[in-house]
Amino acid sequence: RSDVLVRVDALLGELETLTADMPASQVRLPALRSGIAIRLRMLDAVLDAYRREGVEAGRRQLAAGSGRAEMERVLAMIVAMQAELGQQIAAERQSAERSATRTLSMLGLLLLLVAAALAALCAGIRRETRERLASEERRRSLIAELRSANGELENFAYVVSHDLKAPLRGIGSLADWLLADYTAALDEQG
């Protein structure tokens, strides 16, 4: 009997915790506890009559009491609490589904925005890459043009240098000949 009472009390405590946010069930809990206590006292009386006077006395005690009516009242309270719990669960499920739908919608929107941002980023990278490649090509087209112009300038400088040096060498040679041949005939000024 004491194990049953402990178990019933534990189950009622658990039920109280589970229905903490359900005011109608919280109101029914004291009546449920009372009904269960009454039913247990009735059963104790039936068992006591059975032990003292036998099976027939236990049956008479059972038939004489309002046990069935009390049990039906307890069952009605339990059914009402189950219905309320079912409604609460359904409401919470709907709320969770709405929340999940909102969350999925937000995630979808976020993914769409991320995809758009990535597409814009890729387009920007491609454009910049094309511009850099075109700039690099222009740059290469220009060390090449510059290299060609530099080569032509070097050739021109060589030709000019050679063309200018030839008359100077001729004049220098002539001066050397004059100096060698006419040193005695020329004075200091000559």
Side-chain angles (χ1 to χ4, degrees):
R1 164 110 163 72
S2 65
D3 290 344
V4 171
L5 290 176
V6 169
R7 178 76 177 130
V8 167
D9 197 44
L11 288 172
L12 286 172
E14 188 176 332
L15 184 60
E16 187 173 356
T17 302
L18 290 173
T19 60
D21 59 342
M22 299 168 58
S25 292
Q26 288 290 310
V27 169
R28 287 188 186 101
L29 279 174
L32 183 62
R33 281 184 188 274
S34 174
I36 290 173
I38 290 169
R39 182 66 179 153
L40 287 174
R41 279 195 300 275
M42 286 180 188
L43 288 176
D44 281 343
V46 169
L47 286 174
D48 189 43
Y50 171 77
R51 286 187 196 125
R52 280 183 296 128
E53 300 172 24
V55 173
E56 213 36 59
R59 283 188 187 158
R60 277 192 312 268
Q61 180 69 31
L62 191 59
S66 61
R68 181 170 301 284
E70 190 59 38
M71 191 61 179
E72 286 176 5
R73 193 172 73 82
V74 168
L75 285 175
M77 282 189 276
I78 291 173
V79 167
M81 290 175 79
Q82 283 177 330
E84 185 179 328
L85 183 60
Q87 290 172 351
Q88 180 79 15
I89 289 171
E92 288 176 3
R93 179 177 290 133
Q94 286 177 345
S95 175
E97 287 173 357
R98 282 192 303 269
S99 178
T101 300
R102 267 193 312 267
T103 301
L104 287 175
S105 297
M106 293 303 270
L107 282 175
L109 180 60
L110 180 62
L111 286 175
L112 184 62
L113 290 174
V114 167
L118 286 175
L121 182 62
C122 285
I125 289 172
R126 285 185 185 132
R127 184 183 69 248
E128 188 174 320
T129 301
R130 282 192 304 269
E131 288 172 0
R132 284 187 181 188
L133 289 174
S135 174
E136 181 67 24
E137 187 60 35
R138 284 191 304 269
R139 186 182 61 80
R140 285 185 185 143
S141 174
L142 283 173
I143 296 196
E145 289 180 24
L146 186 58
R147 192 177 294 131
S148 174
N150 196 22
E152 289 176 14
L153 188 59
E154 283 179 5
N155 285 339
F156 177 73
Y158 177 76
V159 168
V160 168
S161 171
H162 184 269
D163 287 351
L164 288 176
K165 285 182 183 176
L168 289 176
R169 268 190 303 244
I171 292 171
S173 293
L174 184 60
D176 286 340
W177 291 338
L178 286 173
L179 188 62
D181 291 342
Y182 297 100
T183 300
L186 292 173
D187 62 2
E188 192 63 34
Q189 188 175 1

